Amino acid sequence: GPVERAPAAGLTVVIRDVSTDAALGFGVTDPEGRFDIPCAAPTGPVSLQAVAAAFDGAHRLWVTDGDERTYTFDGPQSSDASATEALDLHVSEADDSGALHIFALLRRHQTDAQQLAGVWLPALQAVWERGEAIYCGTCFAHWPPTLFALGDPQDTDEFDDSVLSHEFGHYLSFTASRDDSPGGMHDGQPTDPRQAWSEGLATWIGQTLLGEAIYLDTTLTGVTVRDPEDMGWDADPQGGLSQALSEYVVLEVLWDLTDPVDGALDPLASPAANVFDVLVGYLPSDTMADRGVAEVDLVDFLDGWLCRGHGDPAGLTALVIDDQGFPYDFAGPTTCDKPRSAARVTLQVQGDRVTLDVVDPLGTDHAEAVIRLPPRFT
């Protein structure tokens, strides 16, 4: 379709003194891309600069090129140092507005996911460069959490919301829940049940946060379209709990749990928050039974769904066994508490940046950390 202009919300905006390049004031764009920055008195004209980064109470996110340079966009200069005037900045596709789209999408997902899951998410870096391919395609690296987006002209993903949102799903499941996938390529064929769980879950998270049913992935020559209502794969009713599984079975189960009721084989319509409750309240807990294959898979999620009180065994039977053919046995724990394990804390030192990440499954209201730095950190 035609190119659409859109506001860039949550960007860091800087006012600089043109003559000295000193930063005179900082601000953040609102949902309409607007900003209002009082700044120190300049010695001459000032210029506008926008940075694809956010560091506030709800977000720690930045977008870089392949050389780790955070995308920064220079705008116009004021005509008079003493004047109060509007400075506007429009970034075109040719000038890498794709970085701003990635930033805006991921920032919105961070906001929504933290509200749905009731957890705080750690810092996320996104890496994309127009015209550049990535060895893993569009993918997610676990630690430090990094989302890589294809820039290859044959298949570029900076505007493919479904693809980016799928990788955000991996980020959420790895940092706020538990993800034991061995990784690797996936195309819907039956595979390791841990990978099937991870990939199907990531697509469900992505499409749920997007508020879109249809998954779209464009390339230079066309588009892949997937409907979570009919992915074309079923499980083997005789294959047991540890069978190789298609990620599409996982996706359909999760989708049918949370979409409107549709006939006898889709009798459940639970809020998405119930799925997130299992993700953060059961899977990372010490009380997870770990059935099926060793480590987290669809069986463990279904156990958590029941023991966390989201129930309806008859509806689950219709959806999982009758519709998808997965032989779930309903033999998991009958009750389970929220996790009582300690928060996960990671301290990183990279050059002159010190980062402390705390992931707390319990959603503690208040915590305090003291970092004592060596003298070289000024």
Side-chain angles (χ1 to χ4, degrees), residues 251-279:
L251 173 57
E252 283 198 48
V253 167
L254 294 173
W255 196 260
D256 285 343
L257 280 174
T258 54
D259 71 348
V261 170
D262 182 16
L265 294 180
D266 184 3
L268 298 178
S270 297
N274 288 352
V275 174
F276 285 103
D277 175 68
V278 178
L279 296 183

PDB file of all heavy atoms in Angstrom, residues 251-279:
ATOM      1  N   LEU A 251       0.139 -22.913  18.729  1.00  0.00           N
ATOM      2  CA  LEU A 251      -0.486 -21.637  18.406  1.00  0.00           C
ATOM      3  C   LEU A 251      -2.011 -21.761  18.387  1.00  0.00           C
ATOM      4  O   LEU A 251      -2.726 -20.925  18.960  1.00  0.00           O
ATOM      5  CB  LEU A 251       0.008 -21.135  17.046  1.00  0.00           C
ATOM      6  CG  LEU A 251      -0.684 -19.886  16.486  1.00  0.00           C
ATOM      7  CD1 LEU A 251      -0.574 -18.711  17.448  1.00  0.00           C
ATOM      8  CD2 LEU A 251      -0.113 -19.524  15.119  1.00  0.00           C
ATOM      9  N   GLU A 252      -2.531 -22.816  17.759  1.00  0.00           N
ATOM     10  CA  GLU A 252      -3.989 -22.973  17.687  1.00  0.00           C
ATOM     11  C   GLU A 252      -4.593 -23.186  19.070  1.00  0.00           C
ATOM     12  O   GLU A 252      -5.670 -22.663  19.377  1.00  0.00           O
ATOM     13  CB  GLU A 252      -4.347 -24.137  16.761  1.00  0.00           C
ATOM     14  CG  GLU A 252      -4.219 -23.804  15.279  1.00  0.00           C
ATOM     15  CD  GLU A 252      -4.976 -24.790  14.395  1.00  0.00           C
ATOM     16  OE1 GLU A 252      -6.162 -25.074  14.705  1.00  0.00           O
ATOM     17  OE2 GLU A 252      -4.386 -25.269  13.417  1.00  0.00           O
ATOM     18  N   VAL A 253      -3.913 -23.962  19.922  1.00  0.00           N
ATOM     19  CA  VAL A 253      -4.426 -24.179  21.274  1.00  0.00           C
ATOM     20  C   VAL A 253      -4.519 -22.861  22.024  1.00  0.00           C
ATOM     21  O   VAL A 253      -5.549 -22.519  22.617  1.00  0.00           O
ATOM     22  CB  VAL A 253      -3.529 -25.174  22.044  1.00  0.00           C
ATOM     23  CG1 VAL A 253      -3.860 -25.152  23.537  1.00  0.00           C
ATOM     24  CG2 VAL A 253      -3.698 -26.586  21.497  1.00  0.00           C
ATOM     25  N   LEU A 254      -3.436 -22.080  22.007  1.00  0.00           N
ATOM     26  CA  LEU A 254      -3.433 -20.807  22.721  1.00  0.00           C
ATOM     27  C   LEU A 254      -4.462 -19.841  22.129  1.00  0.00           C
ATOM     28  O   LEU A 254      -5.149 -19.114  22.858  1.00  0.00           O
ATOM     29  CB  LEU A 254      -2.035 -20.192  22.677  1.00  0.00           C
ATOM     30  CG  LEU A 254      -0.944 -20.955  23.430  1.00  0.00           C
ATOM     31  CD1 LEU A 254       0.424 -20.331  23.167  1.00  0.00           C
ATOM     32  CD2 LEU A 254      -1.231 -20.987  24.924  1.00  0.00           C
ATOM     33  N   TRP A 255      -4.546 -19.821  20.800  1.00  0.00           N
ATOM     34  CA  TRP A 255      -5.480 -18.901  20.150  1.00  0.00           C
ATOM     35  C   TRP A 255      -6.924 -19.267  20.503  1.00  0.00           C
ATOM     36  O   TRP A 255      -7.739 -18.397  20.826  1.00  0.00           O
ATOM     37  CB  TRP A 255      -5.272 -18.935  18.636  1.00  0.00           C
ATOM     38  CG  TRP A 255      -5.912 -17.772  17.954  1.00  0.00           C
ATOM     39  CD1 TRP A 255      -7.117 -17.763  17.299  1.00  0.00           C
ATOM     40  CD2 TRP A 255      -5.407 -16.436  17.881  1.00  0.00           C
ATOM     41  NE1 TRP A 255      -7.388 -16.503  16.817  1.00  0.00           N
ATOM     42  CE2 TRP A 255      -6.352 -15.667  17.163  1.00  0.00           C
ATOM     43  CE3 TRP A 255      -4.251 -15.828  18.352  1.00  0.00           C
ATOM     44  CZ2 TRP A 255      -6.178 -14.320  16.904  1.00  0.00           C
ATOM     45  CZ3 TRP A 255      -4.068 -14.471  18.086  1.00  0.00           C
ATOM     46  CH2 TRP A 255      -5.020 -13.731  17.377  1.00  0.00           C
ATOM     47  N   ASP A 256      -7.246 -20.576  20.466  1.00  0.00           N
ATOM     48  CA  ASP A 256      -8.611 -21.006  20.755  1.00  0.00           C
ATOM     49  C   ASP A 256      -8.972 -20.830  22.223  1.00  0.00           C
ATOM     50  O   ASP A 256     -10.152 -20.694  22.567  1.00  0.00           O
ATOM     51  CB  ASP A 256      -8.802 -22.465  20.333  1.00  0.00           C
ATOM     52  CG  ASP A 256      -8.917 -22.626  18.823  1.00  0.00           C
ATOM     53  OD1 ASP A 256      -9.177 -21.620  18.147  1.00  0.00           O
ATOM     54  OD2 ASP A 256      -8.738 -23.750  18.334  1.00  0.00           O
ATOM     55  N   LEU A 257      -7.959 -20.837  23.095  1.00  0.00           N
ATOM     56  CA  LEU A 257      -8.233 -20.572  24.506  1.00  0.00           C
ATOM     57  C   LEU A 257      -8.743 -19.156  24.729  1.00  0.00           C
ATOM     58  O   LEU A 257      -9.553 -18.901  25.630  1.00  0.00           O
ATOM     59  CB  LEU A 257      -6.968 -20.767  25.342  1.00  0.00           C
ATOM     60  CG  LEU A 257      -6.554 -22.182  25.727  1.00  0.00           C
ATOM     61  CD1 LEU A 257      -5.200 -22.162  26.431  1.00  0.00           C
ATOM     62  CD2 LEU A 257      -7.606 -22.827  26.638  1.00  0.00           C
ATOM     63  N   THR A 258      -8.266 -18.220  23.910  1.00  0.00           N
ATOM     64  CA  THR A 258      -8.484 -16.804  24.200  1.00  0.00           C
ATOM     65  C   THR A 258      -9.344 -16.072  23.170  1.00  0.00           C
ATOM     66  O   THR A 258      -9.650 -14.903  23.372  1.00  0.00           O
ATOM     67  CB  THR A 258      -7.134 -16.075  24.320  1.00  0.00           C
ATOM     68  OG1 THR A 258      -6.344 -16.317  23.141  1.00  0.00           O
ATOM     69  CG2 THR A 258      -6.363 -16.570  25.538  1.00  0.00           C
ATOM     70  N   ASP A 259      -9.713 -16.738  22.076  1.00  0.00           N
ATOM     71  CA  ASP A 259     -10.583 -16.059  21.103  1.00  0.00           C
ATOM     72  C   ASP A 259     -12.042 -16.350  21.440  1.00  0.00           C
ATOM     73  O   ASP A 259     -12.334 -17.156  22.334  1.00  0.00           O
ATOM     74  CB  ASP A 259     -10.222 -16.472  19.669  1.00  0.00           C
ATOM     75  CG  ASP A 259     -10.624 -17.901  19.356  1.00  0.00           C
ATOM     76  OD1 ASP A 259     -10.974 -18.653  20.296  1.00  0.00           O
ATOM     77  OD2 ASP A 259     -10.589 -18.294  18.184  1.00  0.00           O
ATOM     78  N   PRO A 260     -13.004 -15.711  20.778  1.00  0.00           N
ATOM     79  CA  PRO A 260     -14.410 -15.969  21.081  1.00  0.00           C
ATOM     80  C   PRO A 260     -14.806 -17.424  20.832  1.00  0.00           C
ATOM     81  O   PRO A 260     -14.199 -18.125  20.018  1.00  0.00           O
ATOM     82  CB  PRO A 260     -15.145 -15.030  20.114  1.00  0.00           C
ATOM     83  CG  PRO A 260     -14.174 -13.936  19.833  1.00  0.00           C
ATOM     84  CD  PRO A 260     -12.830 -14.598  19.817  1.00  0.00           C
ATOM     85  N   VAL A 261     -15.821 -17.880  21.572  1.00  0.00           N
ATOM     86  CA  VAL A 261     -16.338 -19.237  21.396  1.00  0.00           C
ATOM     87  C   VAL A 261     -16.787 -19.428  19.950  1.00  0.00           C
ATOM     88  O   VAL A 261     -17.424 -18.559  19.358  1.00  0.00           O
ATOM     89  CB  VAL A 261     -17.521 -19.477  22.362  1.00  0.00           C
ATOM     90  CG1 VAL A 261     -18.224 -20.797  22.033  1.00  0.00           C
ATOM     91  CG2 VAL A 261     -17.029 -19.483  23.802  1.00  0.00           C
ATOM     92  N   ASP A 262     -16.430 -20.609  19.398  1.00  0.00           N
ATOM     93  CA  ASP A 262     -16.766 -20.884  17.999  1.00  0.00           C
ATOM     94  C   ASP A 262     -17.039 -22.374  17.834  1.00  0.00           C
ATOM     95  O   ASP A 262     -16.167 -23.152  17.460  1.00  0.00           O
ATOM     96  CB  ASP A 262     -15.629 -20.438  17.077  1.00  0.00           C
ATOM     97  CG  ASP A 262     -15.952 -20.665  15.601  1.00  0.00           C
ATOM     98  OD1 ASP A 262     -17.135 -20.867  15.290  1.00  0.00           O
ATOM     99  OD2 ASP A 262     -15.018 -20.650  14.780  1.00  0.00           O
ATOM    100  N   GLY A 263     -18.264 -22.800  18.146  1.00  0.00           N
ATOM    101  CA  GLY A 263     -18.652 -24.186  17.940  1.00  0.00           C
ATOM    102  C   GLY A 263     -18.189 -25.101  19.058  1.00  0.00           C
ATOM    103  O   GLY A 263     -17.537 -24.695  20.026  1.00  0.00           O
ATOM    104  N   ALA A 264     -18.479 -26.388  18.886  1.00  0.00           N
ATOM    105  CA  ALA A 264     -18.212 -27.378  19.929  1.00  0.00           C
ATOM    106  C   ALA A 264     -16.725 -27.604  20.173  1.00  0.00           C
ATOM    107  O   ALA A 264     -16.324 -27.952  21.285  1.00  0.00           O
ATOM    108  CB  ALA A 264     -18.880 -28.705  19.543  1.00  0.00           C
ATOM    109  N   LEU A 265     -15.894 -27.409  19.138  1.00  0.00           N
ATOM    110  CA  LEU A 265     -14.470 -27.676  19.293  1.00  0.00           C
ATOM    111  C   LEU A 265     -13.687 -26.452  19.760  1.00  0.00           C
ATOM    112  O   LEU A 265     -12.481 -26.524  19.970  1.00  0.00           O
ATOM    113  CB  LEU A 265     -13.883 -28.194  17.971  1.00  0.00           C
ATOM    114  CG  LEU A 265     -14.400 -29.572  17.528  1.00  0.00           C
ATOM    115  CD1 LEU A 265     -13.749 -29.976  16.219  1.00  0.00           C
ATOM    116  CD2 LEU A 265     -14.155 -30.634  18.600  1.00  0.00           C
ATOM    117  N   ASP A 266     -14.359 -25.325  19.922  1.00  0.00           N
ATOM    118  CA  ASP A 266     -13.702 -24.117  20.437  1.00  0.00           C
ATOM    119  C   ASP A 266     -14.626 -23.464  21.465  1.00  0.00           C
ATOM    120  O   ASP A 266     -15.175 -22.386  21.244  1.00  0.00           O
ATOM    121  CB  ASP A 266     -13.397 -23.152  19.282  1.00  0.00           C
ATOM    122  CG  ASP A 266     -12.617 -21.918  19.742  1.00  0.00           C
ATOM    123  OD1 ASP A 266     -12.267 -21.853  20.945  1.00  0.00           O
ATOM    124  OD2 ASP A 266     -12.386 -21.023  18.918  1.00  0.00           O
ATOM    125  N   PRO A 267     -14.822 -24.147  22.623  1.00  0.00           N
ATOM    126  CA  PRO A 267     -15.825 -23.686  23.578  1.00  0.00           C
ATOM    127  C   PRO A 267     -15.296 -22.715  24.629  1.00  0.00           C
ATOM    128  O   PRO A 267     -16.041 -22.337  25.533  1.00  0.00           O
ATOM    129  CB  PRO A 267     -16.266 -24.994  24.244  1.00  0.00           C
ATOM    130  CG  PRO A 267     -15.009 -25.817  24.261  1.00  0.00           C
ATOM    131  CD  PRO A 267     -14.257 -25.460  22.996  1.00  0.00           C
ATOM    132  N   LEU A 268     -14.017 -22.332  24.542  1.00  0.00           N
ATOM    133  CA  LEU A 268     -13.417 -21.491  25.573  1.00  0.00           C
ATOM    134  C   LEU A 268     -13.147 -20.087  25.041  1.00  0.00           C
ATOM    135  O   LEU A 268     -12.813 -19.907  23.867  1.00  0.00           O
ATOM    136  CB  LEU A 268     -12.109 -22.106  26.071  1.00  0.00           C
ATOM    137  CG  LEU A 268     -12.232 -23.491  26.726  1.00  0.00           C
ATOM    138  CD1 LEU A 268     -10.865 -24.009  27.135  1.00  0.00           C
ATOM    139  CD2 LEU A 268     -13.156 -23.433  27.933  1.00  0.00           C
ATOM    140  N   ALA A 269     -13.282 -19.108  25.909  1.00  0.00           N
ATOM    141  CA  ALA A 269     -13.012 -17.715  25.551  1.00  0.00           C
ATOM    142  C   ALA A 269     -12.461 -17.010  26.788  1.00  0.00           C
ATOM    143  O   ALA A 269     -13.137 -16.207  27.427  1.00  0.00           O
ATOM    144  CB  ALA A 269     -14.269 -17.026  25.046  1.00  0.00           C
ATOM    145  N   SER A 270     -11.239 -17.336  27.133  1.00  0.00           N
ATOM    146  CA  SER A 270     -10.612 -16.782  28.329  1.00  0.00           C
ATOM    147  C   SER A 270      -9.849 -15.508  27.985  1.00  0.00           C
ATOM    148  O   SER A 270      -9.380 -15.346  26.854  1.00  0.00           O
ATOM    149  CB  SER A 270      -9.635 -17.801  28.931  1.00  0.00           C
ATOM    150  OG  SER A 270     -10.307 -18.965  29.354  1.00  0.00           O
ATOM    151  N   PRO A 271      -9.674 -14.601  28.947  1.00  0.00           N
ATOM    152  CA  PRO A 271      -8.857 -13.410  28.692  1.00  0.00           C
ATOM    153  C   PRO A 271      -7.395 -13.776  28.508  1.00  0.00           C
ATOM    154  O   PRO A 271      -6.900 -14.744  29.101  1.00  0.00           O
ATOM    155  CB  PRO A 271      -9.073 -12.555  29.944  1.00  0.00           C
ATOM    156  CG  PRO A 271      -9.530 -13.510  30.991  1.00  0.00           C
ATOM    157  CD  PRO A 271     -10.278 -14.594  30.289  1.00  0.00           C
ATOM    158  N   ALA A 272      -6.704 -12.999  27.695  1.00  0.00           N
ATOM    159  CA  ALA A 272      -5.284 -13.254  27.460  1.00  0.00           C
ATOM    160  C   ALA A 272      -4.487 -13.201  28.756  1.00  0.00           C
ATOM    161  O   ALA A 272      -3.455 -13.871  28.901  1.00  0.00           O
ATOM    162  CB  ALA A 272      -4.731 -12.248  26.454  1.00  0.00           C
ATOM    163  N   ALA A 273      -4.977 -12.411  29.726  1.00  0.00           N
ATOM    164  CA  ALA A 273      -4.263 -12.299  30.999  1.00  0.00           C
ATOM    165  C   ALA A 273      -4.137 -13.650  31.695  1.00  0.00           C
ATOM    166  O   ALA A 273      -3.180 -13.875  32.447  1.00  0.00           O
ATOM    167  CB  ALA A 273      -4.981 -11.306  31.918  1.00  0.00           C
ATOM    168  N   ASN A 274      -5.071 -14.584  31.448  1.00  0.00           N
ATOM    169  CA  ASN A 274      -4.967 -15.905  32.060  1.00  0.00           C
ATOM    170  C   ASN A 274      -3.769 -16.684  31.521  1.00  0.00           C
ATOM    171  O   ASN A 274      -3.113 -17.433  32.250  1.00  0.00           O
ATOM    172  CB  ASN A 274      -6.251 -16.698  31.834  1.00  0.00           C
ATOM    173  CG  ASN A 274      -7.411 -16.181  32.657  1.00  0.00           C
ATOM    174  OD1 ASN A 274      -7.225 -15.318  33.516  1.00  0.00           O
ATOM    175  ND2 ASN A 274      -8.603 -16.683  32.396  1.00  0.00           N
ATOM    176  N   VAL A 275      -3.505 -16.549  30.217  1.00  0.00           N
ATOM    177  CA  VAL A 275      -2.317 -17.192  29.651  1.00  0.00           C
ATOM    178  C   VAL A 275      -1.059 -16.596  30.272  1.00  0.00           C
ATOM    179  O   VAL A 275      -0.141 -17.322  30.682  1.00  0.00           O
ATOM    180  CB  VAL A 275      -2.289 -17.041  28.115  1.00  0.00           C
ATOM    181  CG1 VAL A 275      -0.970 -17.588  27.552  1.00  0.00           C
ATOM    182  CG2 VAL A 275      -3.467 -17.755  27.482  1.00  0.00           C
ATOM    183  N   PHE A 276      -1.013 -15.260  30.370  1.00  0.00           N
ATOM    184  CA  PHE A 276       0.151 -14.619  30.974  1.00  0.00           C
ATOM    185  C   PHE A 276       0.306 -15.023  32.439  1.00  0.00           C
ATOM    186  O   PHE A 276       1.423 -15.125  32.943  1.00  0.00           O
ATOM    187  CB  PHE A 276       0.044 -13.100  30.840  1.00  0.00           C
ATOM    188  CG  PHE A 276       0.335 -12.597  29.464  1.00  0.00           C
ATOM    189  CD1 PHE A 276      -0.680 -12.212  28.615  1.00  0.00           C
ATOM    190  CD2 PHE A 276       1.645 -12.530  29.004  1.00  0.00           C
ATOM    191  CE1 PHE A 276      -0.405 -11.758  27.334  1.00  0.00           C
ATOM    192  CE2 PHE A 276       1.935 -12.078  27.720  1.00  0.00           C
ATOM    193  CZ  PHE A 276       0.912 -11.695  26.887  1.00  0.00           C
ATOM    194  N   ASP A 277      -0.803 -15.272  33.118  1.00  0.00           N
ATOM    195  CA  ASP A 277      -0.735 -15.724  34.505  1.00  0.00           C
ATOM    196  C   ASP A 277       0.001 -17.054  34.609  1.00  0.00           C
ATOM    197  O   ASP A 277       0.821 -17.260  35.513  1.00  0.00           O
ATOM    198  CB  ASP A 277      -2.141 -15.857  35.084  1.00  0.00           C
ATOM    199  CG  ASP A 277      -2.130 -16.450  36.484  1.00  0.00           C
ATOM    200  OD1 ASP A 277      -1.647 -15.774  37.417  1.00  0.00           O
ATOM    201  OD2 ASP A 277      -2.559 -17.609  36.642  1.00  0.00           O
ATOM    202  N   VAL A 278      -0.270 -17.969  33.682  1.00  0.00           N
ATOM    203  CA  VAL A 278       0.432 -19.256  33.677  1.00  0.00           C
ATOM    204  C   VAL A 278       1.906 -19.061  33.299  1.00  0.00           C
ATOM    205  O   VAL A 278       2.800 -19.677  33.880  1.00  0.00           O
ATOM    206  CB  VAL A 278      -0.239 -20.252  32.715  1.00  0.00           C
ATOM    207  CG1 VAL A 278       0.517 -21.577  32.683  1.00  0.00           C
ATOM    208  CG2 VAL A 278      -1.694 -20.477  33.114  1.00  0.00           C
ATOM    209  N   LEU A 279       2.157 -18.169  32.344  1.00  0.00           N
ATOM    210  CA  LEU A 279       3.532 -17.942  31.888  1.00  0.00           C
ATOM    211  C   LEU A 279       4.418 -17.447  33.019  1.00  0.00           C
ATOM    212  O   LEU A 279       5.570 -17.866  33.158  1.00  0.00           O
ATOM    213  CB  LEU A 279       3.554 -16.933  30.737  1.00  0.00           C
ATOM    214  CG  LEU A 279       2.852 -17.326  29.436  1.00  0.00           C
ATOM    215  CD1 LEU A 279       3.042 -16.238  28.392  1.00  0.00           C
ATOM    216  CD2 LEU A 279       3.359 -18.661  28.920  1.00  0.00           C
TER     217      LEU A 279
END
